[in-house]
């Protein structure tokens, strides 16, 4: 398949820069697949798994927040956090999940606490599910 | 200065030595913090640049100006996010950035969101209205905090409570040079570079432009604030290191002068004693 230029940058640094053949990311509207020659487009990202195909090999990553843009054939993925499946700290994700669930079960938690816990739980679940693919 | 007794000089040398020790220690602390902060700047810079470039590309290419983020309006209220340090003794670092911010505030109906203890204190002292004084710890601020600041600012911008948002920070040029600068966050105006018409490709928004901008702009603002914060933190440590380095060398110079004086005074005392003994015999 024809490759295109893909760049993945997060606040922690450049995670990937090079040629890829296909990118699938979870946007707020659902999964979006990008191949070479895609029309210019922007979409905000949700929380979910990102799949990058390069040299026929699939690589998976947990991709949370941010945006994806295609301008002039170059694809830029600018998430808030991005971890390749083999970089995910599963112990931390599990601990985070547990803490979030405690807050959610706690009757006296405030609205903001609940909202933060919910987001934390979602992130933890995404990380855990992506970590299985390595 | 032959009048000063050797004891007095000795005391002064001792006190200078302890000052030198303190400044030397502070320099070393700043150096190690600088190394960490520099790594952070280098890691966050590509993100900062990509985000900035991508948003500008989108703004350049877009034909749809329905989003309030993209349209300038008569400015009534301006918000400034001012990033300074938590502590002093960093040379001109705090005063430079605060002076720049004060200059920009002049003549505007402005509110300030200070980050860092020095910025909070400064604007409280000058009775400038603050949005919040909750971010008095620049060093402790995380990416999540930046995003919540951005969310709050974007919300107020959409409601029309704020018409312009700037960030004032210190740009980390190199270890020896840091420049205070300011950057407009909102509104996002098209940069008229004359290449209009050449970039007439259509942009597909998923699901539509209003939703996309509503979701992306707070992210962008948060990312830029985080980038500015990283730059400022590295600048602070670099400025402190330079200031403490020169303080240490000043202390050393003073100690050298004082020891010279001390030796002279001692020699003078000995000579005098000998003269007295010789004269007496």
């Amino acid at each position: 398949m024809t490759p295109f230029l893909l760049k993945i940058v997060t606040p922690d640094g450049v995670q990937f820069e090079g040629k890829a053949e296909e990118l699938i990311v979870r946007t707020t509207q659902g999964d979006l697949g990008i191949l070479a020659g895609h029309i210019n487009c922007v979409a905000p990202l949700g929380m979910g798994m990102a799949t990058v195909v390069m040299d026929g090999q699939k690589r998976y990553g947990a991709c949370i927040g941010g945006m994806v843009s295609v301008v002039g054939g170059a694809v830029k993925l600018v998430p808030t956090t991005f971890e390749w499946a083999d970089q995910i700290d599963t112990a931390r994700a599990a601990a985070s999940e547990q803490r979030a669930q405690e807050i959610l079960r706690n009757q006296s938690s405030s609205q903001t606490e609940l909202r933060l816990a919910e987001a934390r739980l979602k992130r933890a679940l995404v990380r855990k599910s992506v970590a299985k693919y390595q | 200065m032959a009048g000063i007794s050797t004891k007095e000089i000795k005391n002064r040398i001792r006190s200078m030595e302890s000052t030198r020790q303190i400044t030397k220690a502070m320099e070393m602390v700043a150096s190690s913090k600088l190394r960490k902060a520099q790594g952070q700047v280098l890691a966050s810079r590509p993100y900062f640049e990509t985000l900035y470039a991508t948003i500008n590309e989108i703004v350049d290419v877009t034909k749809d100006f329905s989003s309030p983020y993209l349209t300038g309006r008569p400015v009534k209220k301006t918000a400034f996010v001012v990033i300074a340090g938590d502590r002093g003794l960093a040379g001109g670092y705090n005063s430079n950035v605060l002076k720049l911010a004060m200059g920009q505030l002049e003549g505007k109906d402005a509110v300030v969101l200070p980050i860092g203890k020095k910025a909070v204190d400064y604007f409280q002292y000058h009775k400038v209205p603050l949005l919040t004084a909750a971010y008095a710890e620049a060093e402790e601020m995380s990416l999540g905090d930046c995003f919540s600041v951005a969310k709050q600012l974007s919300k107020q911008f959409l409601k029309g409570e704020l018409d312009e948002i700037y960030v004032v920070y210190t740009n980390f040029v190199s270890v020896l040079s840091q420049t205070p600068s300011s950057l407009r966050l909102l509104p996002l105006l098209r940069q008229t570079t004359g290449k209009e018409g050449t970039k007439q490709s259509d942009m597909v928004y998923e699901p539509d432009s209003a939703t996309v901008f509503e979701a992306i702009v707070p992210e962008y603002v948060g990312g830029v604030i985080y980038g500015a914060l990283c730059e400022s933190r590295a600048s602070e440590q670099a400025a402190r290191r330079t200031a403490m380095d020169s303080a240490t060398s000043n202390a050393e110079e003073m100690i050298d002068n004082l020891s010279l004086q001390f030796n002279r005074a001692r020699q003078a005392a000995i000579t005098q004693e000998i003269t007295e003994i010789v004269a007496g015999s």
Side-chain angles (χ1 to χ4, degrees):
Chain A
M1 275 200 299
T2 334
F4 58 86
L5 272 181
L6 171 68
K7 199 172 173 186
I8 304 176
V9 257
T10 71
D12 297 323
V14 179
Q15 299 291 332
F16 178 77
E17 188 171 9
K19 287 195 156 59
E21 284 141 21
E22 189 180 352
L23 169 72
I24 304 166
V25 281
R26 174 70 52 89
T27 70
T28 46
Q29 302 299 305
D31 277 357
L32 173 73
I34 296 170
L35 294 174
H38 197 281
I39 193 172
N40 289 350
C41 124
V42 224
L45 297 177
M47 296 181 200
M49 185 167 75
T51 313
V52 182
V53 181
M54 41 190 147
D55 301 326
Q57 292 282 315
K58 278 187 181 174
R59 255 187 112 176
Y60 303 95
C63 176
I64 291 158
M67 62 175 179
V68 59
S69 83
V70 187
V71 176
V75 182
K76 282 175 189 153
L77 187 62
V78 196
T80 315
T81 66
F82 184 93
E83 290 125 1
W84 291 109
D86 47 14
Q87 292 170 350
I88 292 173
D89 187 343
T90 31
R92 202 182 132 220
S96 174
E97 182 192 349
Q98 211 162 25
R99 238 175 314 150
Q101 259 164 353
E102 268 163 36
I103 295 170
L104 289 175
R105 266 198 298 270
N106 192 346
Q107 297 292 327
S108 57
S109 303
S110 70
Q111 277 300 318
T112 36
E113 269 176 351
L114 285 176
R115 222 181 47 233
L116 288 176
E118 214 173 308
R120 171 180 270 171
L121 181 62
K122 260 190 211 159
R123 284 197 296 267
L125 290 175
V126 166
R127 288 204 176 103
K128 267 177 76 179
S129 67
V130 173
K132 284 185 202 130
Y133 281 92
Q134 58 176 296
Chain B
M1 287 215 274
I4 305 174
S5 72
T6 47
K7 198 171 172 215
E8 246 173 276
I9 298 177
K10 218 175 195 170
N11 276 341
R12 282 190 64 191
I13 290 181
R14 210 168 294 145
S15 94
M16 279 324 293
E17 266 167 0
S18 61
T19 309
R20 183 188 57 179
Q21 217 163 30
I22 293 169
T23 54
K24 187 96 194 159
M26 283 183 76
E27 188 207 325
M28 269 170 348
V29 171
S31 295
S32 87
K33 279 190 180 165
L34 172 65
R35 215 163 304 133
K36 206 178 121 209
Q38 229 174 338
Q40 227 174 13
V41 166
L42 291 183
S44 72
R45 246 182 213 163
Y47 175 74
F48 192 50
E49 278 157 11
T50 313
L51 204 60
Y52 192 72
T54 314
I55 284 279
N56 277 329
E57 267 168 29
I58 296 168
V59 173
D60 270 352
V61 166
T62 193
K63 287 179 192 163
D64 180 7
F65 287 100
S66 58
S67 171
Y69 285 127
L70 300 183
T71 42
R73 51 185 181 229
V75 175
K76 280 180 284 207
K77 198 107 183 154
T78 313
F80 286 90
V81 179
V82 182
I83 307 174
D86 297 330
R87 256 158 292 201
L89 289 181
Y93 169 73
N94 285 313
S95 68
N96 284 347
V97 70
L98 292 174
K99 221 185 290 165
L100 176 77
M102 215 48 185
Q104 301 229 329
L105 281 171
E106 205 110 288
K108 281 183 180 164
D109 182 10
V111 284
V112 170
L113 197 159
I115 295 174
K117 192 167 180 308
K118 286 280 165 186
V120 174
D121 291 348
Y122 180 84
F123 289 110
Q124 266 169 353
Y125 177 75
H126 283 85
K127 303 217 165 22
V128 177
L130 302 185
L131 267 179
T132 161
Y135 301 102
E137 297 255 319
E139 220 167 306
E140 303 292 311
M141 200 144 160
S142 67
L143 183 61
D145 291 327
C146 291
F147 280 119
S148 48
V149 167
K151 236 176 250 169
Q152 189 199 350
L153 289 174
S154 313
K155 212 158 77 193
Q156 283 185 297
F157 183 84
L158 274 190
K159 271 197 239 158
E161 290 167 14
L162 300 170
D163 302 306
E164 255 187 331
I165 300 172
Y166 286 87
V167 58
V168 183
Y169 67 104
T170 310
N171 209 349
F172 181 74
V173 183
S174 74
V175 178
L176 293 174
S177 146
Q178 304 89 33
T179 46
S181 45
S182 86
L183 189 72
R184 190 179 58 219
L185 293 173
L186 290 174
L188 297 161
L189 298 179
R190 182 199 282 257
Q191 288 162 339
T192 41
T193 43
K195 53 183 177 181
E196 269 178 77
T198 54
K199 267 192 175 178
Q200 278 302 319
S201 44
D202 282 301
M203 200 77 170
V204 174
Y205 296 97
E206 202 67 54
D208 58 74
S209 72
T211 326
V212 166
F213 280 113
E214 207 160 297
I216 284 177
V217 169
E219 292 266 355
Y220 163 73
V221 173
V224 173
I225 292 178
Y226 180 72
L229 184 69
C230 285
E231 297 271 336
S232 291
R233 276 198 289 225
S235 300
E236 181 185 359
Q237 299 307 338
R240 177 163 299 128
R241 209 195 70 118
T242 321
M244 287 303 119
D245 187 39
S246 65
T248 309
S249 64
N250 283 348
E252 261 157 22
E253 201 178 302
M254 247 172 128
I255 292 171
D256 283 351
N257 283 339
L258 285 172
S259 353
L260 199 66
Q261 258 180 46
F262 174 75
N263 288 341
R264 263 193 208 135
R266 195 190 53 181
Q267 191 58 54
I270 295 169
T271 314
Q272 201 184 350
E273 227 166 281
I274 293 175
T275 329
E276 275 163 16
I277 294 167
V278 171
S281 64

